[in-house]
Amino acid sequence: MPFDLSLVELVERIKSGDILAETLMDAVYLRIDQYNSSLNVYRSLLPHEVAISRARKIDEKIASGKSVGKLAGIPVSIKDNICINDPNLSNACGSQILGEYHSPYNATVAEKLLGEDALIIGTTNMDEFAMGSSTENSAFGVTRNPWDTERVPGGSSGGAAVSVVSGMAILALGSDTGGSVRQPASMCGITGFKPTYGTVSRYGLVAYGSSLDQIGCFTQSVSDCRYVFSILHGHDVNESTSAKIELSAAPELAELSGLRICLPDEYVDEESADPEVVASVNELAELLESKGATVERQSLEFLKYVIPTYYVLAFAEASSNLGRFDGIRYGIRKQEDASLKSLYTSTRKKGFGEEVKRRIMLGTFVLSSGYYDQYYGRAVQVRAWMEKQVKEVFEKFDFILGPVSPFPAFKFGEKSEDPLAMYLADICSVLANLTRSPAISIPGRPTKAGLPIGLQLMGRRFADHSLLASAAAIQELTAYHKLRPEKNFSTEIKN
Ligand code: GLN
């Protein structure tokens, strides 16, 4: 029963005493007991009795008439790179190098969740340091997609997406540097939102590519996402890139008629995108037109350059950010002889996985003095040029529509042998990060075999509310978000 309700409805029922937070927690732990070990979702998890006792405290507060927060009793998972100060939980960022790291402080988003009486129950599996598009790069094994357990859940926040679609959490937070919230949401058939850069604090998010990283959320529906975003966003004095901007308001459901939507040819090119993905995008485009919106196909030349630009910048920033894992300040320490050099090299050699090492080396290369202008400097210029181009697109259009990923969830091993093929999975998602824009993934018509397909709407910077309002209006019409991986998960939960 609890899984048929939205997050917002659950909060209302818990507050009114109609559903106990304890009952909801029990239902979530029943799912965890059944599926966590086979799907490999949680990296650290509250023991059942601790989670129950925290839920009971919320019920007691409500029973005694005390006021509770906007997320009272909601079981939440956070990605393994969002710092949490809880003796029962740890942060490893999907890597061996951190060991069992216990953060001495909470990320701002974790503080905000806890401040609203949410119950953070665990940290979720991810590609090591958020580098990947499939959750195959975790040092702790792959996470499986509940729609087809032979397939990836998407990445890098694969554990986060699976926690929500399988009912092991009601809400999950992840990070999105080039698509890592939207892409696993798309492959798992749920809603994933990457807000405008700077609207949700990154304080306490372990940095990958700082100018691209953004915390976002996974929920079953856009309206739940909107509710959570209204809690998470806001200026943070602890974070230098946090925006001090009042977001413009929007109604809960936007009027679709009159919307002007750009559908880039490059996103629906049948040579590079799966035909079922293209069909799903086209179905939405037709629906929007039937509701009075205009959808215009157009070639956006600059899209050819998004992947090289993103990967040069992300690798460069990663090579600098990951310098802090040196065997001295955090995590494991390895040393073969007494030298400082051996401490650094042995620790990093043993601690980092192959993909992380590849990126540190390439990032160091593009920043090195002989190549800086040719690669990093040029990528910075191309990014600025793209921001200008996108601004011009938004003078004419309200949104850019496309798929989130050119293909649905793929099989394990299908792309992991070829890093370039894996990087191309991000072709539709990285533009939002490069231009710091908000973008959302909502489920579209699935494939004939029943695999989810995520559709993306990207909006103007700081127009997050109107993006959410339009996505919510679309979701009301399509209702694909109501599909569940039924064959593996019954919707009936015995309380
Ligand atoms: N797949 C992209 C990468 O590997 C994006 C990852 C992310 O958003 N964290 O860089």
Side-chain angles (χ1 to χ4, degrees), residues 79 81-82 127 130 132-133 135 153-162 164 171-195 205 212-219 225 310 404 426 429 433 439-442 454 456:
K79 189 173 176 178
N81 59 354
I82 297 176
D127 282 307
S133 311
T135 317
S156 63
S157 319
V162 178
V164 170
L171 159 69
L173 297 191
S175 65
D176 190 313
T177 305
S180 282
V181 166
R182 290 160 284 151
Q183 195 248 29
S186 119
M187 293 189 177
C188 290
I190 54 174
T191 302
F193 175 50
K194 181 203 95 72
L205 169 69
L212 304 152
D213 294 342
Q214 183 58 62
I215 291 177
C217 51
F218 297 85
T219 52
C225 218
Y310 168 79
V404 175
D426 305 332
S429 57
N433 304 77
I440 192 162
S441 170
I442 56 171
Q456 174 172 256

Side-chain angles (χ1 to χ4, degrees), residues 48-65:
H48 192 162
E49 63 284 1
V50 174
I52 290 295
S53 88
R54 291 187 190 175
R56 271 194 201 131
K57 286 211 178 89
I58 302 287
D59 290 329
E60 282 159 17
K61 244 170 131 179
I62 293 167
S64 64

Side-chain angles (χ1 to χ4, degrees), residues 145 147 185-190 274-284 407-409 442-455 478-487:
N145 190 326
W147 294 88
S186 119
M187 293 189 177
C188 290
I190 54 174
D274 185 295
E276 291 196 272
V277 170
V278 174
S280 196
V281 175
N282 286 338
E283 183 189 90
L284 176 59
F407 31 72
I442 56 171
R445 172 182 290 284
T447 67
K448 290 193 192 78
L451 290 176
I453 292 175
L455 305 178
T478 60
Y480 291 125
H481 65 296
K482 299 213 165 122
L483 298 173
R484 296 270 74 82
E486 299 282 355
K487 56 179 188 300

Side-chain angles (χ1 to χ4, degrees), residues 227-393:
Y227 182 75
V228 174
F229 176 63
S230 71
I231 293 165
L232 296 182
H233 91 74
H235 180 247
D236 181 3
V237 288
N238 288 325
E239 210 252 273
S240 61
T241 58
S242 169
K244 244 190 200 155
I245 284 187
E246 196 64 44
L247 297 179
S248 47
E252 266 188 39
L253 289 180
E255 193 54 65
L256 294 176
S257 99
L259 282 183
R260 297 155 309 162
I261 291 162
C262 174
L263 175 53
D265 290 334
E266 290 77 1
Y267 282 170
V268 282
D269 168 13
E270 293 229 12
E271 300 219 329
S272 48
D274 185 295
E276 291 196 272
V277 170
V278 174
S280 196
V281 175
N282 286 338
E283 183 189 90
L284 176 59
E286 279 162 29
L287 176 77
L288 286 165
E289 287 194 309
S290 75
K291 296 290 163 196
T294 47
V295 180
E296 214 173 285
R297 286 279 297 262
Q298 185 171 322
S299 169
L300 299 178
E301 275 285 304
F302 59 86
L303 289 176
K304 316 205 249 277
Y305 307 111
V306 289
I307 289 289
T309 309
Y310 168 79
Y311 275 98
V312 168
L313 294 173
F315 290 2
E317 293 187 25
S319 73
S320 159
N321 276 325
L322 269 56
R324 59 171 64 89
F325 301 103
D326 54 7
I328 295 174
R329 286 170 283 193
Y330 315 88
I332 62 162
R333 175 175 295 188
K334 303 278 174 204
Q335 201 163 9
E336 262 135 41
D337 58 47
S339 71
L340 180 64
K341 190 167 173 214
S342 162
L343 169 68
Y344 291 156
T345 53
S346 304
T347 303
R348 289 164 72 83
K349 193 170 155 193
K350 295 233 162 58
F352 287 137
E354 198 187 325
E355 183 61 26
V356 173
K357 285 180 188 155
R358 178 175 13 253
R359 294 184 184 208
I360 292 174
M361 286 193 288
L362 285 168
T364 308
F365 173 76
V366 300
L367 288 172
S368 60
S369 61
Y371 294 96
Y372 185 97
D373 291 338
Q374 199 177 334
Y375 292 106
Y376 181 74
R378 188 176 290 186
V380 169
Q381 287 172 338
V382 174
R383 181 183 193 177
W385 169 74
M386 265 174 208
E387 285 186 287
K388 253 182 78 197
Q389 299 283 310
V390 165
K391 217 168 160 200
E392 278 170 24
V393 173

Side-chain angles (χ1 to χ4, degrees), residues 20-268:
L20 292 176
E22 181 183 346
T23 309
L24 176 61
M25 191 58 85
D26 251 335
V28 165
Y29 268 75
L30 187 63
R31 293 278 173 107
I32 291 174
D33 290 345
Q34 282 175 307
Y35 304 113
N36 187 34
S37 58
S38 57
L39 299 177
N40 193 22
V41 168
Y42 280 103
R43 286 297 321 132
S44 69
L45 181 69
L46 294 185
H48 192 162
E49 63 284 1
V50 174
I52 290 295
S53 88
R54 291 187 190 175
R56 271 194 201 131
K57 286 211 178 89
I58 302 287
D59 290 329
E60 282 159 17
K61 244 170 131 179
I62 293 167
S64 64
K66 293 199 185 111
S67 76
V68 287
K70 292 183 191 141
L71 293 168
I74 295 297
V76 182
S77 74
I78 56 173
K79 189 173 176 178
D80 202 18
N81 59 354
I82 297 176
C83 288
I84 181 77
N85 179 8
D86 185 316
N88 296 285
L89 302 176
S90 56
N91 291 109
C93 297
S95 182
Q96 294 287 1
I97 206 161
L98 272 165
E100 280 286 286
Y101 177 67
H102 288 275
S103 168
Y105 70 99
N106 282 326
T108 297
V109 287
E111 278 295 323
K112 289 201 174 197
L113 292 174
L114 296 169
E116 295 295 345
D117 290 319
L119 300 169
I120 298 177
I121 59 171
T123 56
T124 52
N125 198 28
M126 57 185 276
D127 282 307
E128 187 174 1
F129 288 106
M131 298 176 184
S133 311
S134 64
T135 317
E136 290 171 288
N137 292 338
S138 167
F140 307 101
V142 303
T143 294
R144 293 182 179 275
N145 190 326
W147 294 88
D148 177 347
T149 54
E150 292 307 308
R151 288 175 190 270
V152 304
S156 63
S157 319
V162 178
S163 74
V164 170
V165 73
S166 59
M168 295 190 218
I170 303 299
L171 159 69
L173 297 191
S175 65
D176 190 313
T177 305
S180 282
V181 166
R182 290 160 284 151
Q183 195 248 29
S186 119
M187 293 189 177
C188 290
I190 54 174
T191 302
F193 175 50
K194 181 203 95 72
T196 300
Y197 183 81
T199 55
V200 173
S201 170
R202 287 185 297 115
Y203 180 68
L205 169 69
V206 179
Y208 160 21
S210 314
S211 77
L212 304 152
D213 294 342
Q214 183 58 62
I215 291 177
C217 51
F218 297 85
T219 52
Q220 299 279 15
S221 70
V222 178
S223 50
D224 284 348
C225 218
R226 181 192 168 94
Y227 182 75
V228 174
F229 176 63
S230 71
I231 293 165
L232 296 182
H233 91 74
H235 180 247
D236 181 3
V237 288
N238 288 325
E239 210 252 273
S240 61
T241 58
S242 169
K244 244 190 200 155
I245 284 187
E246 196 64 44
L247 297 179
S248 47
E252 266 188 39
L253 289 180
E255 193 54 65
L256 294 176
S257 99
L259 282 183
R260 297 155 309 162
I261 291 162
C262 174
L263 175 53
D265 290 334
E266 290 77 1
Y267 282 170
V268 282

